[in-house]
């Protein structure tokens, strides 16, 4: 993700996770032909990719949370907001010179 954000990779990193149930996988059959396939998309990974690619259409301050007791989720949201603020600050800086070599 960092290499993609810096422009050192032309393809975004994959963040989907696939699970196959009831059959061997991977094998010669494409995953579309499997009996039971589950695709898990971590929301945080998708949001980070959208944020770095400029496709993010909402503000991190607009995330509605209704958590009664502070826990790991609260810490993750705070870290995400800090990362979003760092990204916004970086967008305002002039581009860094290319690294030698």
């Amino acid at each position: 993700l960092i290499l993609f954000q810096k422009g050192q990779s032309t393809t975004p990193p994959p963040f989907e996770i696939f699970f196959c149930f009831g059959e061997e996988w991977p094998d010669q059959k494409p995953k579309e032909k499997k009996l039971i396939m589950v695709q898990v998309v971590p929301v945080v990974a998708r949001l980070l990719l959208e944020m770095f690619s400029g496709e993010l259409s909402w503000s991190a301050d607009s995330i509605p949370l209704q958590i009664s007791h502070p826990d790991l989720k609260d810490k993750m949201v705070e870290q995400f907001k800090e990362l979003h603020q760092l990204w916004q600050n970086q967008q305002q800086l002039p581009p860094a010179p290319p690294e030698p070599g």
Side-chain angles (χ1 to χ4, degrees):
L1 182 61
I2 292 170
L3 293 175
F4 178 70
Q5 190 269 333
K6 289 181 175 181
Q8 297 174 354
S9 172
T10 57
T11 57
F15 53 83
E16 298 94 356
I17 302 166
F18 292 94
F19 295 97
C20 179
F21 295 94
E23 297 179 68
E24 290 293 321
W25 186 68
D27 60 6
Q28 301 300 322
K29 289 172 61 176
K31 63 180 174 261
E32 293 80 15
K33 299 287 185 182
K34 292 297 186 178
L35 184 61
I36 301 173
M37 286 293 294
V38 176
Q39 178 184 14
V40 178
V41 179
V43 175
V44 171
R46 188 191 67 200
L47 291 174
L48 287 173
L49 181 61
E50 290 175 0
M51 183 175 69
F52 285 133
S53 64
E55 298 174 10
L56 190 63
S57 60
W58 53 269
S59 166
D61 294 328
S62 69
I63 301 173
L65 291 179
Q66 296 178 350
I67 301 174
S68 57
H69 300 288
D71 61 4
L72 182 60
K73 293 176 213 158
D74 291 321
K75 292 177 185 172
M76 287 176 54
V77 169
E78 288 305 315
Q79 290 173 345
F80 178 72
K81 286 182 179 183
E82 289 175 22
L83 182 61
H84 185 259
Q85 184 62 43
L86 287 171
W87 177 77
Q88 285 181 326
N89 292 342
Q90 182 184 13
Q91 296 302 309
Q92 297 170 0
L93 296 175
E99 295 181 18

